[in-house]
Structures are given as C-alpha cells and as structure tokens.
Amino acid sequence: MPEFEPVIGLEVHTELNTASKVFCDDPTVFGAEPNTQVSPISLGLPGVLPVLNRAAFEKALKTAIALGCEIPERTTFDRKHYYYPDLPKNYQISQQYEPLGTKGAVDIHLKDGSTKTIRINNIHLEEDAGKLIHPDTPAARGLSWVDLNRAGMPLLEIVTEPDIDTLEELEVFMQTLRSILRYLDVSDCKMQEGSLRFELNLSMRPVGAKELGTKTEVKNVGSIKAVLRAARYEIKRQSELLEAGERVIQETRLWDDDRGETRSMRSKEVAKDYRYFPDPDLPAVRISADWMGRIRAELPELEDAKRRRFVAEYGIPEYDAGVLATDRALADYFETCCRMHASPKAFSNWIMVELLRELQNREMEIEDCPLTAPRLAELVRMVEQGTISNNIAKDVLKEVMETNESPARIVESKGLSQVSDEAALLAVVHEVIAANPGPAQDVREGKEKALGFLMGQVMRKTQGKANPGVCKALLERELGSG
Amino acid sequence: MAVTKAEVQHIALLSRLAISEEESERYAQQLSEILDYAAQLNRLDTAGVEPTFHAVPLVNVFREDIQGTPIPLEAALSNSARAKGSFFEVPKVADGS
C-alpha cells in the first residue's frame, strides 16, 4: 500500500484598500446599509461605461512587482461570464489573456530553518461580486437577498503553482503573503470582513511520484485556520478513497465551517465555461519602464529585510526580530519606542511578552492599543530609572490597557513609586528580621535561599514598592552576610 | 459551421434559460446560419495581423480614486422585480449551501 502525500495550490483573493470601487466611484466602506454604495455601473444597468481606478491598478501593480512577477508591457481586461444573482451584469470584469503579472515567487521560512519558494503563476485585477443572504425564515423559503455594496470592489487574485507540500508550508505561506500585503498597504487583509479569502486546490499522489493526482477545488473558506482545517479534511478524505482503491473526482467542493467538512457542489452549477473575451469597454493599460521604476521606488522594506536590519541595527536576537517584523504595524511600534528611548531589548521583551498577550486577550489590533509606543517608552524609562519595579510596571501596563491613562499618571495617582529611601526601608527590614528569626539566622550562616524569602517579606510589607537593590543591600548589611 | 442541439442546450443552461426541444432545434439551425455568415471572414488572409482587442486606439484611461455620491436606495431598488427591506429579493439558486 503506497503512502500518499498532498500537493496544494491556492487562489488568494484580496480586496484592495481604495476609497472607491475599481470601475466606478461608489464608496468602499465595510458594513454600510445594503445597496447604499451602488451606482448604475455596479448595478449592471445598461449603457454605462466602467473606467479603471488608477489607485487600484497601481496597488495591484505594486503587489505584482513586490512578488517578483514578470510585468508585461501591456495588460488588458476580459469578461468572465456566469449567471448568478451576486453579479447583476452577468459577467465579471477580470484578466484572463494578458494578466498584470506572471511567474512571481514568495519565499517562506519553515520551522527547521529552511526556506522554500512558492511560485506564483499569475496575479490579476478584477471586480468583486455582491453578497447573497439566504434567509432562514419560512416566509422567505426559496428566496435569496442580494446586497450589491461589495459588487465592483477592487479584487486582486493571486494564483500559486501547486508547490505547497505540507500543512506547515500552507500555514506559513498564507501568513507570509498576508504580511506582505499588509506591508505593501494594498489591503487591510481582514478575514472577518472578507477582504482576504482563499480557495484551496488539493490533490494526493503516492510519495515520491512526479505525476499529479486528481485535484478538488475547495471554496468558501473564510480564514487561515479554516483553510488548514479544510486541507486536513480533504487530505484525509482523498487518502481514504485512494487507499480503498477508489478514484478522486475532479470537482468543486464547498467548505462547511460549522460541520468541519467539505461537500460536493453539483457539477451542472459549476460548469466551468466562462466564455472569456476581451472587454470592449476597457482600453488596454501600457506599463512603461518609467512607471514601473516609480512604483518600485515606493516599495517599503518587507519582512525579511526588516528582520535582518533589526538584528544589525538594534542588536536584538534573531528570534525577537522575527516576531517584531511579522507585522508592519508592530515593527513600526517597536521602532517608535526605540526612537524615544534607546532600550531595544527591553522593548522587544515588553512587546513580545506582555503587549502581544494583552492584545490577543482583548482581540485588539496594535493600531487601536491604548498603550501607545510613547507610553511604553515612558513605562520602560520609569523601570530603568528605578521609579517603579518591573512587577509594578506589569500592573501599570494592564491599568493603561483598562483606563487609557498614561503610565506616569497611574503611578502618581496610585502611589506606586518605588521606595529607595534607606531610612524608610531600614525600619521595614528590622521588622522583617524580628518577625522571622529562623530565616534570619540562616542568612547569617550564609544560606542564600533564606535571603530571597526575607526579600519577599519586605516586598509584601511595602506592596511591592521597595527598591529591590536597596533592600537586598540593607538585609545583607543588617545580617552581616554578603 | 453546424451548431448542435446539445450545444444550444448547454448555452441555455449557462444562461439560465429554459428552452423546449423544438426551440433547441430551431435555435441550432438559426445560430448555424449566423455563424456560417460570419465565417466568410475566415476567407481573408490574416497571417501577421495583430488581434484587435479594441476598436479605439486608446490606452491608459483612468479615473482618480475619489468617492462619488451613490444613488439613493429607493432608486437602486426601483427597477427590481422584488425587494425586501434594503435588499433585492430573488429566487434562490441552489449552490449546495
């Protein structure tokens, strides 16, 4: 019985973050009342003329360049025909014959330290379709509701070659691509709002075989997590078929996230016969070397380059740099902190441990975080100057997240400043020694552990505000050790 | 250029049109005649001629990324056969979901 291994390719759809739609000037705000961001063009009324949005085209071009695509001198738009209520004019404007970019690549870094290249077959610009709602009420049985706000949103499709061989590669690829799109500022990639969507192409073949098996295409997968679940499901389903000596049928399957399974769509409804032809409404776009050069000059530093620079410039460990560089906003946050106060390692620790955990617990984006970069800089400075202890600083951080107050104000209003005054601390030290004769004796005899215990007692009596260095010195002096 | 009845039925399916047997046959014949007529163009020698994608020699026609004013909801829904609240209402097309 041969073992089987998966071969995976992805079709990635990402909505570009323009102010208006790709072929008309409807606004692109998410969550508006249904059918209030529409015009005769997005409604598909007769006699209208679509005109290409320059910003949408340039964002698409920027992405194609960043992914190392070959860019043709000329790119054109085609009509892809299908009849479905989410597409009122019965064709989608897309690019079939002369797409914007071909033969790109994305490098992904795997856990074992290796790097793998996932080839991009092509990148093309198209328009999004509307949204259908299938109401679940008896009165609306057999009916669908159509919202065309999304119809005509600029959509970039990125098609990979079937180069993905494992679930780890699949996950890292999706994360890497998302990071690149966010770095480029071409899409906000909010999966819960549908601005980043994936279609999975998956087949199985005997381990070591060159030939590809029969693939299925899985649609309707809404998040990176769901893609991984759908892939795991299809791997199992197809493996079981093949091991039982049966065949995999080439078909489109729909992912059901609630049930955690894929199921077949009836072939009649997904017949792939789009009858593409060049759209006579839209003239070709010629891409000059000059234009390419301008876009190329605007490309931001991407994740890999940033990670290397963080190590070189700030002297932080490779691991820290990798975490901070995964997201452009997070990397910018770190650099802002470092510009305000030169303690890169302290910032990377605070960000990776405390801040990311707080953000995750609150399901918050760093852009919306009350602990702004200047505030974290202020907090770290207070710790380094001995104004507050490290433990108190953690409490202050949580308090900032809750109250949106500045760290300095919280420290002041709650009286959290560290006590470094020897005279004040000496009284507490004497109290602690008197109350704990046993451990005190141990310290006199040179047992280090007991010193820690007495330190803890001093901290308790001062609600954590005692300066640990001063306390330790006082205890050692009073007990004649150290 | 004979268009077959099966091709007509396939196109009808793609276009979500219900047509009868008799219509399939009639359209197959009519479409064949139309294509035969157009096929006269094939007699021209077009070797070395670039395909014409557009009748007008224009390139790089753009609009700037500025929002316009959407049409009012009532106007958007006014041409629809049925509406429900802010939605267009249509017969459900089964898609497996």
Side-chain angles (χ1 to χ4, degrees):
Chain A
M1 176 74 61
E3 287 268 317
F4 294 94
E5 62 183 8
V7 178
I8 303 170
L10 282 177
E11 287 168 34
V12 184
H13 285 97
T14 185
E15 263 175 13
L16 301 174
N17 56 356
T18 52
S20 64
K21 291 183 180 174
V22 59
F23 297 115
C24 61
D25 63 8
D26 307 352
T28 53
V29 181
F30 179 80
E33 186 185 352
N35 298 306
T36 57
Q37 306 205 358
V38 295
S39 61
I41 294 179
S42 49
L43 291 175
L45 299 184
V48 296
L49 186 68
V51 183
L52 179 57
N53 179 337
R54 183 191 301 273
F57 185 82
E58 290 199 336
K59 280 172 190 279
L61 182 58
K62 188 167 154 190
T63 310
I65 294 172
L67 296 184
C69 286
E70 287 179 12
I71 312 289
E73 268 176 48
R74 179 179 82 166
T75 181
T76 50
F77 291 90
D78 304 293
R79 293 183 177 183
K80 173 180 179 175
H81 300 84
Y82 67 93
Y83 283 49
Y84 202 64
D86 63 4
L87 188 73
K89 64 185 182 301
N90 297 332
Y91 63 85
Q92 177 191 30
I93 303 174
S94 182
Q95 299 194 288
Q96 172 74 3
Y97 300 114
E98 298 180 314
L100 182 56
T102 55
K103 297 183 190 159
V106 174
D107 282 345
I108 58 171
H109 303 294
L110 302 171
K111 259 192 247 122
D112 65 4
S114 65
T115 296
K116 178 165 178 178
T117 299
I118 307 297
R119 291 171 300 156
I120 303 296
N121 177 289
N122 79 83
I123 294 184
H124 58 268
L125 180 60
E126 58 189 25
E127 58 179 342
D128 208 347
K131 226 182 225 170
L132 288 189
I133 291 171
H134 306 292
D136 199 16
T137 59
R141 183 159 301 145
L143 296 170
S144 297
W145 294 343
V146 188
D147 173 8
L148 294 175
N149 283 349
R150 202 179 65 182
M153 292 277 282
L155 199 62
L156 190 66
E157 179 165 348
I158 302 170
V159 184
T160 77
E161 296 287 355
D163 287 348
I164 301 168
D165 297 325
T166 66
L167 291 173
E168 188 203 349
E169 289 175 15
L170 181 61
E171 182 171 15
V172 177
F173 173 78
M174 290 189 286
Q175 283 164 346
T176 306
L177 187 62
R178 181 172 188 272
S179 159
I180 292 172
L181 295 171
R182 281 182 47 106
Y183 262 104
L184 293 173
D185 190 28
V186 296
S187 171
D188 54 18
C189 294
K190 288 188 180 161
M191 276 174 281
Q192 64 278 19
E193 294 181 5
S195 61
L196 182 64
R197 317 196 284 266
F198 299 95
E199 278 170 37
L200 187 68
N201 289 302
L202 192 148
S203 64
M204 303 296 293
R205 65 179 170 197
V207 173
K210 281 269 178 293
E211 235 166 87
L212 295 175
T214 306
K215 71 170 181 183
T216 56
E217 185 183 332
V218 183
K219 283 180 182 284
N220 195 38
V221 223
S223 68
I224 289 181
K225 233 187 228 164
V227 173
L228 294 170
R229 287 175 67 210
R232 205 170 287 130
Y233 180 88
E234 270 303 292
I235 289 171
K236 184 163 177 283
R237 188 185 71 85
Q238 293 188 18
S239 300
E240 283 170 2
L241 281 174
L242 294 169
E243 277 157 18
E246 291 175 47
R247 284 183 330 123
V248 173
I249 301 164
Q250 175 151 5
E251 62 179 352
T252 301
R253 299 178 68 84
L254 208 63
W255 171 247
D256 183 331
D257 203 54
D258 293 331
R259 293 191 194 172
E261 64 183 28
T262 66
R263 59 170 183 274
S264 180
M265 291 170 78
R266 271 174 290 171
S267 60
K268 265 191 175 180
E269 283 141 15
V270 290
K272 280 215 163 158
D273 192 347
Y274 294 129
R275 294 152 292 144
Y276 286 98
F277 66 72
D279 192 324
D281 286 342
L282 289 155
V285 179
R286 281 202 180 280
I287 305 165
S288 66
D290 190 44
W291 193 7
M292 287 262 291
R294 247 182 302 136
I295 301 278
R296 201 182 289 280
E298 283 171 18
L299 287 183
E301 177 187 44
L302 294 180
E303 186 178 345
D304 277 359
K306 203 177 283 276
R307 192 182 58 237
R308 285 193 295 271
R309 181 169 64 78
F310 278 9
V311 173
E313 190 174 328
Y314 298 107
I316 56 173
E318 181 85 25
Y319 175 81
D320 295 29
V323 174
L324 295 171
T326 42
D327 187 76
R328 184 181 185 173
L330 191 67
D332 288 349
Y333 182 99
F334 168 72
E335 288 207 278
T336 308
C337 289
C338 291
R339 268 198 299 278
M340 310 198 73
H341 181 69
S343 288
K345 181 57 188 156
F347 289 123
S348 90
N349 286 348
W350 278 97
I351 292 169
M352 289 193 309
V353 182
E354 303 296 330
L355 184 61
L356 287 182
R357 185 180 56 215
E358 287 292 324
L359 291 175
Q360 201 165 17
N361 288 346
R362 290 160 207 266
E363 293 182 4
M364 191 184 262
E365 299 286 337
I366 186 123
E367 292 95 322
D368 309 323
C369 179
L371 185 79
T372 56
R375 283 176 169 177
L376 181 61
E378 184 181 303
L379 190 70
V380 168
R381 200 181 294 123
M382 283 194 284
V383 173
E384 289 178 359
Q385 290 171 346
T387 312
I388 51 173
S389 70
N390 216 47
N391 279 333
I392 295 277
K394 287 180 192 169
D395 296 338
V396 173
L397 183 147
K398 286 199 182 77
E399 194 73 20
V400 175
M401 297 297 289
E402 288 295 332
T403 62
N404 197 14
E405 287 277 1
S406 84
R409 271 190 85 136
I410 291 167
V411 168
E412 198 198 312
S413 68
K414 299 212 153 189
L416 298 173
S417 283
Q418 192 158 257
V419 180
S420 305
D421 177 40
E422 282 202 24
L425 288 178
L426 191 58
V428 182
V429 165
H430 282 154
E431 259 179 66
V432 166
I433 291 173
N436 300 283
Q441 188 53 39
D442 288 346
V443 175
R444 287 192 192 93
E445 289 164 11
K447 291 184 185 155
E448 277 292 317
K449 245 191 181 161
L451 185 65
F453 171 76
L454 294 178
M455 284 279 294
Q457 295 303 307
V458 174
M459 284 298 169
R460 227 164 130 179
K461 280 200 177 299
T462 57
Q463 286 94 45
K465 289 186 286 183
N467 180 319
V470 176
C471 273
K472 185 158 179 274
L474 284 175
L475 276 167
E476 285 170 347
R477 194 183 77 200
E478 293 304 304
L479 296 171
S481 70
Chain B
M1 259 243 191
V3 174
T4 64
K5 210 171 83 182
E7 279 171 322
V8 171
Q9 282 165 347
H10 177 61
I11 294 162
L13 171 75
L14 291 173
S15 309
R16 301 283 180 264
L17 294 174
I19 58 173
S20 66
E21 278 290 310
E22 187 268 322
E23 282 170 317
S24 309
E25 258 164 59
R26 181 148 45 94
Y27 295 150
Q29 192 187 337
Q30 288 177 348
L31 286 169
S32 296
E33 283 165 17
I34 291 166
L35 288 176
D36 285 341
Y37 177 70
Q40 293 179 63
L41 289 170
N42 289 343
R43 282 192 250 141
L44 293 171
D45 179 9
T46 55
V49 178
E50 279 257 320
T52 306
F53 282 98
H54 293 277
V56 190
L58 279 175
V59 290
N60 297 18
V61 177
F62 292 110
R63 43 170 282 272
E64 298 308 316
D65 184 23
I66 295 164
Q67 292 181 356
T69 310
I71 61 172
L73 178 63
E74 300 71 45
L77 298 178
S78 62
N79 285 317
S80 61
R82 298 179 65 161
K84 179 83 180 176
S86 316
F87 292 101
F88 295 96
E89 191 172 69
V90 297
K92 186 171 176 177
V93 179
D95 65 352
S97 64

